[in-house]
Amino acid sequence: MPPPVEIQPSVLFGISPSGNIPLKSMGVANAGTICPSIDGSRFLNIVMGFDAYFIQTKTLPSESWKLGRVFKQNRMTFAEDISEGGVAGMLNVSLAATKSVLSDFLDIYMGCMAVAGGPTAMAITGMNALVQGGKIKQNYSLYCEALEAFVADNQELRRLMPYFHENIYVQLILGRIEAELQGKARELVNGMIPVNKAVKPIIGVFLGKVGEDAMKRTLRGTRDIIKDVLLKVIDHVIAKKEELSETQVNLLAEKHIVPMYKAMSHIEIPISRAEEIVREAARNPAAIRPRLVKIARAIDALQG
């Protein structure tokens, strides 16, 4: 039988673990488990037709290049490889998670690998330990919640706050990875593809490109702009029932938004754009407030 063939990680985007393979030992290899094998260990993602799709999670010293890469192999040959590798063919590691959580994790993991590739991706945010130990890092679901808040309700926040949406969401979150997504970023912004089909891989690509620390810094900076500036503007306008003066707009932009933006992105936002973000918050306070609160709360959960 031919050896495993390496395939593009994107093949597994959005696919929940499913299927199983009978083993010679009378056991069964279920998708969503890590299997000891003759060449280390493999995470079996899906069994489809005559093939098994897996991620190499542990390798022989002479084959370290395989670590973290995705392969396809004839299901019968796969069964032989793991039957010889395991104790009586039994699986001794299971991810013990729901299919939806596994799918979320794999989308993010594949996004990392699509950018960094193999061992480098496995090192990102302890990815190696996550896969080999079978643990799902719960922060990833919070990343999803925070990003989805930007595009909820048919892009309503984009309509209400176009400058905030463009300069915070697009430039800092999507803009930095757009090339790697080959246009998927702009499709998401324009509402051309469903959020749940795009957000998780986007998070993975972002992590693969800039790492978890940079992503956390971006989300925290966004949270601070919302809580320390925009929500205060909104509450002031609602309570006082009066518009902000141009002097107030300029001071808020210059003294708060501009330096906060630079701290999280290391680039400067033009003062004119910062002023427009302040005006947007003051212009539609009642409609905007619950949306910004949702984003801030989602990001706050990362600190828990």
Side-chain angles (χ1 to χ4, degrees):
M1 288 288 187
V5 176
E6 185 177 5
I7 61 174
Q8 288 293 325
S10 59
V11 171
L12 300 183
F13 273 149
I15 298 178
S16 297
S18 63
N20 58 70
I21 299 175
L23 304 176
K24 293 180 180 179
S25 63
M26 304 303 290
V28 175
N30 291 305
T33 53
I34 295 178
C35 315
S37 61
I38 58 173
D39 56 354
S41 64
R42 304 170 177 180
F43 174 86
L44 178 59
N45 184 71
I46 189 170
V47 182
M48 186 165 52
F50 295 103
D51 296 315
Y53 295 78
F54 67 90
I55 302 167
Q56 194 76 35
T57 56
K58 188 176 181 180
T59 68
L60 300 174
S62 60
E63 298 180 328
S64 60
W65 66 271
K66 289 184 177 181
L67 186 64
R69 296 179 182 265
V70 181
F71 296 88
K72 178 177 74 172
Q73 184 179 26
N74 176 275
R75 59 190 294 171
M76 298 307 297
T77 310
F78 181 89
E80 292 176 0
D81 286 354
I82 64 172
S83 292
E84 294 180 24
V87 178
M90 298 300 291
L91 306 179
N92 62 14
V93 181
S94 174
L95 292 189
T98 65
K99 287 185 177 181
S100 62
V101 173
L102 283 169
S103 178
D104 289 351
F105 168 72
L106 287 169
D107 280 342
I108 293 161
Y109 173 61
M110 296 303 170
C112 286
M113 293 210 305
V115 175
T120 304
M122 295 289 277
I124 295 172
T125 69
M127 194 66 74
N128 186 46
L130 285 173
V131 176
Q132 292 200 45
K135 296 179 180 179
I136 306 300
K137 190 167 184 179
Q138 296 302 319
N139 272 356
Y140 290 141
S141 65
L142 300 175
Y143 292 153
C144 288
E145 183 180 348
L147 294 183
E148 285 175 357
F150 278 95
V151 290
D153 300 325
N154 297 316
Q155 305 281 328
E156 182 67 4
L157 186 62
R158 181 192 183 198
R159 185 185 71 80
L160 294 170
M161 300 187 73
Y163 277 86
F164 174 80
H165 188 274
E166 173 69 21
N167 289 277
I168 302 293
Y169 179 60
V170 179
Q171 296 299 326
L172 295 188
I173 297 174
L174 294 185
R176 298 180 67 174
I177 58 174
E178 184 171 7
E180 286 72 24
L181 289 172
Q182 297 180 337
K184 288 291 190 297
R186 288 288 175 177
E187 291 178 24
L188 175 62
V189 171
N190 294 329
M192 295 169 61
I193 53 179
V195 173
N196 63 344
K197 295 294 185 182
V199 170
K200 292 190 294 293
I202 283 174
I203 294 169
V205 173
F206 192 101
L207 286 171
K209 184 144 184 80
V210 303
E212 186 179 25
D213 287 344
M215 182 162 187
K216 281 186 175 180
R217 185 177 65 248
T218 298
L219 292 177
R220 282 197 300 264
T222 300
R223 185 264 327 267
D224 291 344
I225 286 176
I226 290 173
K227 294 180 69 174
D228 296 342
V229 183
L230 301 183
L231 287 179
K232 290 182 178 180
V233 166
I234 287 171
D235 290 342
H236 171 82
V237 171
I238 291 176
K240 299 292 185 180
K241 294 182 172 58
E242 61 183 28
E243 297 181 0
L244 295 180
S245 69
E246 281 303 299
T247 299
Q248 289 174 310
V249 170
N250 177 263
L251 287 174
L252 287 166
E254 182 181 1
K255 302 297 184 183
H256 298 283
I257 290 187
V258 169
M260 293 168 76
Y261 191 97
K262 185 175 182 180
M264 70 171 165
S265 67
H266 302 306
I267 60 175
E268 292 189 6
I269 183 174
I271 185 68
S272 60
R273 294 187 185 181
E275 289 174 344
E276 285 298 329
I277 291 174
V278 174
R279 292 189 187 100
E280 288 173 343
R283 191 177 299 129
N284 298 289
I288 289 171
R289 194 181 195 286
R291 301 173 193 281
L292 294 184
V293 167
K294 181 178 180 182
I295 295 170
R297 284 177 177 170
I299 299 173
D300 265 336
L302 294 174
Q303 312 306 315

